[in-house]
Amino acid sequence: MGDSPLVRKASGFHWQGVEVLKYKEEGSAPFKDVTRQVLFEGRDPPAQLRYFEVAPGGHTTLERHEHVHSVMVIRGRGQCLVGDAAHDLALHDLVSVPPMAWHQFRAAPDEPLGFLCLVANDRDRPQLPDDHALAEIERPLRGQTT
Amino acid sequence: MGDSPLVRKASGFHWQGVEVLKYKEEGSAPFKDVTRQVLFEGRDPPAQLRYFEVAPGGHTTLERHEHVHSVMVIRGRGQCLVGDAAHDLALHDLVSVPPMAWHQFRAAPDEPLGFLCLVANDRDRPQLPDDHALAEIERPLRGQTT
């Protein structure tokens, strides 16, 4: 955060001096139109608060891991898959992704989905589903949402 | 968060099943018109994400402590004092309060100030200024802001 205690939001969902990063390396895992910005990181608590933005029609990687995600939507709307259920997401909704739950965030077709995601600094690498798991996992995204 | 991974925002800045708490016990320290809601708490990371809302014209306690605050404004506008400078705050601005910096959040006269505040679970108790310290600390709030 540099010397000033204040980091102002700039135009759009960008912050002064905060770099807009790739979500992941291209080809490392399937995803579409996602950016990442690290808003806070430190040792007190040993955690990062990141801002992810999924462009209209885009989605994060479908994955699972031992570490927990604590999420708040701060822009737009979309949907999340967590475990065996899909949920519509609106502004300021909260999502807790428990350990080893398959999860994915999708923007609405006509609106971005921007969310804060709190994670521990010390965390395990995500696992990707194989084709068989994928067919099972994606079922709720084709059916009813809550 | 109960069994569902989702906690929807209800009307206003309230969330389903999240209790609106007193900021502090009345009389324990000076403050005016502040509420507190705990949005996430857990061991991974060992931290809490709280939502504080200061009503128009209200303010949090002027205090300091060893633990760090990481703050994002998500409603309205106001001002913060951190160390020896006061700053105007607008939507989505970020504030890092370093260890032992005197700090206070104030809502605008005509608008609330609502902000997320990330803290470690294990944290020291706030210290209050004596009258002499108070006069020195409050100087920047009477002068120019950045």
Side-chain angles (χ1 to χ4, degrees):
Chain A
M1 306 270 299
D3 289 322
S4 171
L6 185 73
V7 172
R8 290 192 196 281
K9 180 165 170 284
S11 62
F13 277 71
H14 297 117
W15 287 265
Q16 289 175 355
V18 176
E19 196 179 355
V20 179
L21 301 166
K22 290 180 188 176
Y23 169 59
K24 294 180 178 178
E25 285 306 310
E26 293 290 338
S28 64
F31 67 91
K32 183 168 182 284
D33 295 335
V34 187
T35 59
R36 174 170 61 96
Q37 298 177 69
V38 179
L39 302 183
F40 292 108
E41 57 182 327
R43 298 304 313 169
D44 179 18
Q48 282 191 340
L49 189 70
R50 298 94 47 92
Y51 174 70
F52 292 94
E53 192 166 298
V54 186
H59 60 84
T60 63
T61 303
L62 174 59
E63 62 185 31
R64 67 179 184 182
H65 38 65
E66 288 290 347
H67 65 272
V68 171
H69 283 322
S70 299
V71 165
M72 174 188 270
V73 176
I74 65 167
R75 182 180 197 180
R77 59 192 174 75
Q79 205 176 71
C80 69
L81 171 75
V82 181
D84 59 1
H87 307 272
D88 288 334
L89 291 178
L91 195 63
H92 297 138
D93 284 348
L94 307 174
V95 185
S96 289
V97 179
M100 295 311 276
W102 294 107
H103 59 280
Q104 184 175 51
F105 291 84
R106 295 174 176 245
D110 55 349
E111 228 179 304
L113 177 68
F115 57 89
L116 301 175
C117 178
L118 175 66
V119 287
N121 289 341
D122 183 15
R123 57 188 186 272
D124 61 320
R125 293 186 68 82
Q127 302 173 10
L128 302 178
D130 61 23
D131 287 347
H132 178 73
L134 198 60
E136 283 303 297
I137 296 158
E138 287 196 325
R139 228 169 358 117
L141 279 178
R142 293 192 296 269
Q144 294 296 313
T145 64
T146 66
Chain B
M1 306 272 298
D3 288 322
S4 171
L6 186 72
V7 171
R8 290 192 196 281
K9 179 165 170 283
S11 62
F13 277 72
H14 297 118
W15 287 265
Q16 290 176 354
V18 176
E19 196 179 356
V20 179
L21 302 166
K22 290 178 188 176
Y23 169 59
K24 296 180 176 176
E25 285 306 310
E26 294 289 337
S28 64
F31 67 91
K32 184 168 182 282
D33 295 336
V34 187
T35 59
R36 175 170 60 96
Q37 297 177 71
V38 179
L39 302 183
F40 293 108
E41 58 182 328
R43 297 305 314 168
D44 178 17
Q48 283 192 339
L49 189 70
R50 298 94 49 89
Y51 174 69
F52 292 94
E53 192 165 298
V54 186
H59 60 84
T60 64
T61 303
L62 175 59
E63 61 185 32
R64 67 178 184 182
H65 38 66
E66 288 289 348
H67 65 273
V68 171
H69 283 323
S70 299
V71 165
M72 175 188 270
V73 176
I74 65 166
R75 182 180 197 180
R77 59 194 175 74
Q79 203 176 73
C80 68
L81 171 74
V82 181
D84 60 0
H87 307 272
D88 287 334
L89 291 178
L91 195 63
H92 297 136
D93 284 347
L94 307 174
V95 185
S96 288
V97 179
M100 295 311 277
W102 292 108
H103 59 279
Q104 184 175 50
F105 291 83
R106 295 174 175 245
D110 55 350
E111 228 179 304
L113 177 69
F115 58 89
L116 302 174
C117 178
L118 176 66
V119 285
N121 289 341
D122 183 15
R123 56 187 187 272
D124 61 321
R125 291 186 69 83
Q127 301 174 10
L128 302 177
D130 61 22
D131 287 347
H132 177 73
L134 199 61
E136 283 303 297
I137 296 159
E138 287 195 326
R139 232 170 352 119
L141 279 179
R142 294 192 296 271
Q144 294 297 314
T145 63
T146 64

